[in-house]
Amino acid sequence: MRRTVFNEDHEAFRETLRAFIETEVVPVYDEWLAAGQAPRDFYHKLGELGVFGIRVDEEYDGAGIDSYKFEAVVYEETARAGITFGGSGVHVLLGLPYIKMLASDEQKKRFLPKFVSGEEMWALAMTEPGTGSDLAGMKTTAKLSEDGTHYVLNGAKTFITGGVHADRVIVCARTSAPTAEDRRFGISLFAVDTKSEGYSVGRKLDKLGLKTSDTAELAFVDVKVPVEDLLGEENKGFYYLGHNLASERWGIAFGAYAQAKAAVRFAKEYVQDRTVFGKSVASFQNTKFELAACQAEVDAAEAVADRALEALDAGELTPAEAASAKLFCTEVAHRVIDRCLQLHGGYGFMNEYPIARLYADNRVNRIYGGTSEIMKTIIAKDMGL
């Protein structure tokens, strides 16, 4: 069936992005893998390409296009090439919605031009060493100073993607104690300058996959955060976090679908070239059946991902629908990528083949942004169960 989610503008952007990846990323990607992160100046190149400013208003140097479809193209093209853009995904998918939704006009003037250019990279710090899915249990605190000019931030965060390179981090912290009626009350969001005294980056975490995205531990010891860097209203942070989870989960769902689609492409190319018993691996009935089954699953995931994308652009994607899309697409990607690696035989276990890296990169999709078990809980609740 004909796909209708993209138009000529999206396809023109796809061609430009594909050429950029082939010249600027693929030749040096092994160096990024060895270093465990993309180089900082690469984000300036993405800024120059316009990747960071698509959904930013023109008055702040963006393109002013209120659509996630160009970001969807980025997911497809990076997966197709078997690469990632380091920690830049969190910059746009997680950082930008909070700035657009919560920042004052003064804050937008300060933050967005540098956001668009890549001069300032953003990350989001929610998870703590003892707090994952239960965000209401976070211990990091931000106490307002006696003179009311700044907050004093203390605590720690972990699993912060983009945390090494970040210039600004949206830190979730407790500004008030939870109430007996609502333990989620009292969380606030701050746009913290990473150059602040008392702010430190701990270990750069050694992950199973996503080797080119810098993921770190962060620590805050009496960090002074100006009141001008509070995002939104005090104590309403949990609501803000919940509001933006739909777009985050769509991004994970669409990225997983794109990975599954790429896996089929890698496997198809491999089995056509690989010879066993004097015949191409592609000529065996088992190979044909396996790839056909994988393609059918990818087709279904594409339909789900596209439907969620259209709903997101229309402002109609509900938390349950986002959870459903994430659950389905990530589970499909898990099955498809595993089967496509199997078709590579022993070579599928070698990191020099993109299917191996894809297998490792994909695994986190069923964990971050809310585990598959949390997604099922959300869907069941929406069903009235």
Side-chain angles (χ1 to χ4, degrees):
M1 62 190 76
R2 187 172 67 90
R3 197 178 187 193
T4 59
V5 70
F6 298 123
N7 62 29
E8 292 179 358
D9 290 338
H10 303 121
E11 296 306 329
F13 175 67
R14 185 189 302 279
E15 290 181 13
T16 300
L17 186 64
R18 187 173 296 182
F20 174 84
I21 290 171
E22 290 175 353
T23 58
E24 299 290 340
V25 182
V26 172
V28 295
Y29 197 65
D30 285 342
E31 298 174 19
W32 295 11
L33 289 168
Q37 61 188 30
R40 183 62 178 79
D41 63 359
F42 172 68
Y43 300 126
H44 292 289
K45 294 180 180 179
L46 287 179
E48 292 171 0
L49 190 65
V51 171
F52 296 151
I54 293 168
R55 289 191 290 112
V56 175
D57 291 341
E58 293 181 31
E59 64 181 302
Y60 305 116
D61 301 333
I65 301 172
D66 189 20
S67 172
Y68 283 81
K69 291 183 179 180
F70 290 93
E71 289 170 42
V73 172
V74 174
Y75 285 122
E76 291 188 334
E77 289 304 307
T78 51
R80 178 185 181 277
I83 59 97
T84 72
F85 279 165
S88 69
V90 72
H91 178 68
V92 177
L93 184 67
L94 300 187
L96 185 57
Y98 290 99
I99 302 174
K100 292 184 66 173
M101 179 175 70
L102 303 176
S104 65
D105 289 342
E106 182 276 329
Q107 288 175 323
K108 288 179 180 177
K109 289 176 183 177
R110 276 196 293 136
F111 297 151
L112 285 174
K114 293 179 181 179
F115 180 100
V116 170
S117 69
E119 181 180 345
E120 281 192 354
M121 295 299 293
W122 287 60
L124 177 64
M126 293 190 289
T127 304
E128 297 183 358
T131 305
S133 296
D134 181 21
L135 293 176
M138 69 176 60
K139 304 298 183 183
T140 298
T141 61
K143 303 292 186 182
L144 187 64
S145 63
E146 291 185 3
D147 62 7
T149 62
H150 62 273
Y151 292 85
V152 180
L153 182 67
N154 283 283
K157 300 290 182 179
T158 193
F159 303 149
I160 309 307
T161 303
V164 175
H165 279 320
D167 302 288
R168 287 267 177 185
V169 177
I170 300 173
V171 178
C172 311
R174 281 211 164 273
T175 43
S176 297
T179 66
E181 297 77 22
D182 186 3
R183 60 190 295 267
R184 298 172 297 181
F185 174 80
I187 295 172
S188 301
L189 307 185
F190 300 90
V192 179
D193 186 341
T194 63
K195 297 184 294 296
S196 301
E197 184 177 355
Y199 180 104
S200 62
V201 177
R203 291 187 303 150
K204 185 175 74 170
L205 300 174
D206 183 15
K207 308 186 298 296
L208 170 67
L210 298 176
K211 293 291 189 179
T212 66
S213 71
D214 52 299
T215 301
E217 297 174 331
L218 306 179
F220 321 111
V221 179
D222 294 334
V223 177
K224 293 182 178 179
V225 183
V227 293
E228 293 82 9
D229 289 344
L230 171 69
L231 286 174
E233 295 183 39
E234 196 177 84
N235 298 324
K236 291 189 175 181
F238 197 95
Y239 164 76
Y240 299 141
L241 294 171
H243 184 272
N244 285 327
L245 276 174
S247 60
E248 177 184 353
R249 287 168 178 163
W250 163 80
I252 297 169
F254 205 95
Y257 139 70
Q259 289 176 322
K261 182 177 182 179
V264 173
R265 173 174 174 262
F266 296 145
K268 180 182 175 183
E269 291 175 352
Y270 178 82
V271 298
Q272 288 175 325
D273 292 338
R274 176 72 169 163
T275 300
V276 178
F277 303 122
K279 300 166 59 178
S280 73
V281 175
S283 67
F284 290 91
Q285 185 182 65
N286 179 69
T287 303
K288 295 176 182 179
F289 281 7
E290 283 292 286
L291 280 177
C294 287
Q295 183 62 54
E297 290 217 73
V298 168
D299 287 344
E302 180 180 86
V304 169
D306 284 356
R307 185 181 68 175
L309 173 55
E310 295 285 19
L312 181 63
D313 267 9
E316 298 172 353
L317 185 64
T318 69
E321 289 169 345
S324 179
K326 181 183 184 295
L327 177 65
F328 182 77
C329 291
T330 57
E331 294 291 341
V332 164
H334 161 65
R335 293 191 296 271
V336 167
I337 294 170
D338 183 75
R339 293 164 83 175
C340 287
L341 186 149
Q342 187 73 16
L343 288 172
H344 281 71
Y347 289 104
F349 204 63
M350 302 296 112
N351 279 326
E352 66 186 274
Y353 281 78
I355 191 68
R357 300 196 299 267
L358 197 60
Y359 183 88
D361 289 350
N362 168 75
R363 185 58 186 88
V364 75
N365 288 333
R366 291 181 289 149
I367 299 173
Y368 66 4
T371 64
S372 290
E373 290 72 26
I374 293 294
M375 298 303 100
K376 292 173 184 177
T377 299
I378 294 170
I379 297 165
K381 184 177 180 179
D382 186 67
M383 295 170 66
L385 299 175

